[in-house]
Amino acid sequence: MSHDSSPSPPDPGGVPAVSGDGVPGPPTRRALTVLAWLWVGAPLCYGVYELVQKAAQLFSG
């Protein structure tokens, strides 16, 4: 029986986005992640704000 213990091939980019110890990848990937969170988070926060405003109007006379 042959047992192949060679390591797995590296990530296509050469550097993993997040390593096993939680260290983030290159700065460009970090910037893209921040941009994506802002792209989703800003409208979400605005929607929650509008919801609270409408609910306050509904329940306060």
Side-chain angles (χ1 to χ4, degrees), residues 5-23:
S5 63
S6 63
S8 62
D11 212 24
V15 178
V18 176
S19 65
D21 57 357
V23 177

Side-chain angles (χ1 to χ4, degrees), residues 20-48:
D21 57 357
V23 177
T28 55
R29 183 72 166 192
R30 190 176 314 142
L32 180 62
T33 303
V34 169
L35 183 64
W37 274 105
L38 288 174
W39 185 263
V40 172
L44 177 67
C45 289
Y46 178 72
V48 170

